[in-house]
């Protein structure tokens, strides 16, 4: 049984409510609430958020704090409180939208900290007919660096979607994926995520000081034999 699960969806669409991507996210939300009305679902649309572009100073890597007093303060809190994260972006020139990129750039300082370990994720890309695989690969990489365990992806090509019924069937599939993580006992961590954890662990063990090394030490990462062990620990802490 799913109890008070928190699902966060972030859309990189500039079109707001009328885009295929945002319509799809709302379908997933409706499907989740049909299954369990107590699931908390928040949808944030990049074009409606005040996210200032990074200034390139790298100060956030030193201080461990976001650069500006904008919507990222609120969004970071929401990401950290969530159990399941969906990133959805249109495909522009085989890349994510600028709205999605701004979010990722501002969360770049989380890429070494596994701030989202213990959370599951899903990726959605929307194109007219090609380029989804490039966006999916990029978003998967970013989520894995944040510590998210990605359980699937949907590549939507709008030229092949000729009815809302098709979109709704996709939404039901994603809904099942989200609900299944609450009962899934097997944690299948990708080899790439394990390798990255080992490389970063070795790197920070060699450092004598710095915010990132201190963060790893304070949060007990050095005691973890693997990323899977860290993920399971975070999952336990969240459910306690």
């Amino acid at each position: 049984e799913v109890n008070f699960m928190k699902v966060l969806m972030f859309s990189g669409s500039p079109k707001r409510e009328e885009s295929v991507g945002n319509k799809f996210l709302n379908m997933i939300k409706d499907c989740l609430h049909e299954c369990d009305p107590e699931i908390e679902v928040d949808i944030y649309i990049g074009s409606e958020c005040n996210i200032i572009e990074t200034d390139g100073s790298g100060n956030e890597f030193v201080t461990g704090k976001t650069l500006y007093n904008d919507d990222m303060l609120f969004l970071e809190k929401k990401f950290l409180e969530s159990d399941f994260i969906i990133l959805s972006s249109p495909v522009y020139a085989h890349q994510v939208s600028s709205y999605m990129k701004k979010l990722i750039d501002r969360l770049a300082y989380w890429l070494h900290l596994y701030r989202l370990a213990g959370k599951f994720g899903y990726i959605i890309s929307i194109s007219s007919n090609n380029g989804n695989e490039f966006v999916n690969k990029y978003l998967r990489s970013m989520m894995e660096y944040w510590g998210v365990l990605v359980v699937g992806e949907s590549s939507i090509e709008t030229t092949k979607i000729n009815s809302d019924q098709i979109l709704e069937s996709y939404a039901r599939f994603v809904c099942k994926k989200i609900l299944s993580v609450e009962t899934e006992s097997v944690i299948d961590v990708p080899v790439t995520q394990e390798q990255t954890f080992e490389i970063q662990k070795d790197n920070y063990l060699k450092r004598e000081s710095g915010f990132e090394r201190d963060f790893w030490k304070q949060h007990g990462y050095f005691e973890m034999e693997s990323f899977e062990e860290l993920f399971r620990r975070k999952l336990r802490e969240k459910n306690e």
Side-chain angles (χ1 to χ4, degrees):
E1 189 180 341
V2 180
N3 289 315
F4 306 113
M5 189 184 196
K6 292 181 179 178
V7 179
L8 181 149
M9 307 183 191
F10 185 87
S11 166
S13 173
K15 289 186 181 176
R16 310 207 174 186
E17 290 302 319
E18 69 271 18
S19 76
V20 173
N22 294 341
K23 183 194 282 188
F24 187 49
L25 293 181
N26 278 294
M27 285 177 177
I28 296 167
K29 180 179 181 178
D30 291 344
C31 181
L32 285 169
H33 281 155
E34 279 173 27
C35 296
D36 185 345
E38 295 192 319
I39 293 178
E40 195 177 302
V41 185
D42 291 314
I43 301 175
Y44 299 103
I45 300 170
S47 54
E48 294 176 358
C49 298
N50 173 33
I51 301 175
I52 301 167
E53 284 184 29
T54 182
D55 64 1
S57 65
N59 285 340
E60 68 273 42
F61 290 90
V62 179
T63 64
K65 293 176 181 173
T66 197
L67 285 169
Y68 306 109
N69 184 18
D70 59 4
D71 286 348
M72 284 307 298
L73 287 167
F74 172 77
L75 286 169
E76 283 188 4
K77 185 170 175 282
K78 283 293 183 180
F79 270 92
L80 290 167
E81 289 173 353
S82 67
D83 302 303
F84 199 104
I85 296 164
I86 296 178
L87 294 185
S88 170
S89 178
V91 177
Y92 293 152
H94 286 191
Q95 238 320 337
V96 295
S97 70
S98 59
Y99 294 107
M100 181 61 76
K101 191 66 171 74
K102 276 199 292 186
L103 175 87
I104 291 168
D105 288 350
R106 288 289 302 279
L107 290 178
Y109 76 109
W110 279 9
L111 295 172
H112 304 155
L113 304 176
Y114 295 97
R115 289 302 304 273
L116 302 179
K119 304 179 191 304
F120 296 90
Y122 198 89
I123 292 155
I124 299 164
S125 59
I126 305 99
S127 69
S128 56
N129 58 17
N130 72 87
N132 297 70
E133 67 273 22
F134 300 107
V135 167
N136 292 350
K137 185 179 178 183
Y138 175 68
L139 289 176
R140 180 180 287 270
S141 175
M142 294 302 99
M143 289 181 97
E144 285 184 2
Y145 272 107
W146 288 333
V148 177
L149 191 64
V150 180
V151 297
E153 58 187 47
S154 290
S155 298
I156 295 172
E157 298 178 13
T158 55
T159 51
K160 295 177 183 173
I161 307 284
N162 54 20
S163 72
D164 279 355
Q165 283 76 19
I166 295 173
L167 212 52
E168 281 168 2
S169 71
Y170 289 171
R172 283 193 294 275
F173 173 81
V174 179
C175 182
K176 283 178 186 170
K177 275 281 188 186
I178 297 168
L179 296 172
S180 71
V181 301
E182 288 292 287
T183 53
E184 185 61 69
S185 57
V186 178
I187 304 292
D188 190 13
V189 175
V191 175
T192 49
Q193 210 162 10
E194 286 291 5
Q195 289 172 337
T196 303
F197 181 78
E198 282 306 311
I199 290 165
Q200 291 194 349
K201 184 177 170 184
D202 289 344
N203 181 24
Y204 291 123
L205 277 168
K206 290 171 189 169
R207 292 193 193 181
E208 292 180 9
S209 62
F211 167 75
E212 291 175 343
R213 189 199 185 282
D214 292 345
F215 184 95
W216 273 63
K217 189 174 182 182
Q218 286 164 13
H219 290 81
Y221 287 11
F222 293 128
E223 282 80 64
M224 299 293 108
E225 292 297 320
S226 64
F227 174 72
E228 183 177 335
E229 188 183 346
L230 172 63
F231 189 91
R232 287 184 181 277
R233 192 191 79 186
K234 292 284 188 182
L235 207 53
R236 278 196 309 275
E237 287 171 0
K238 189 177 66 181
N239 294 329
E240 282 170 2

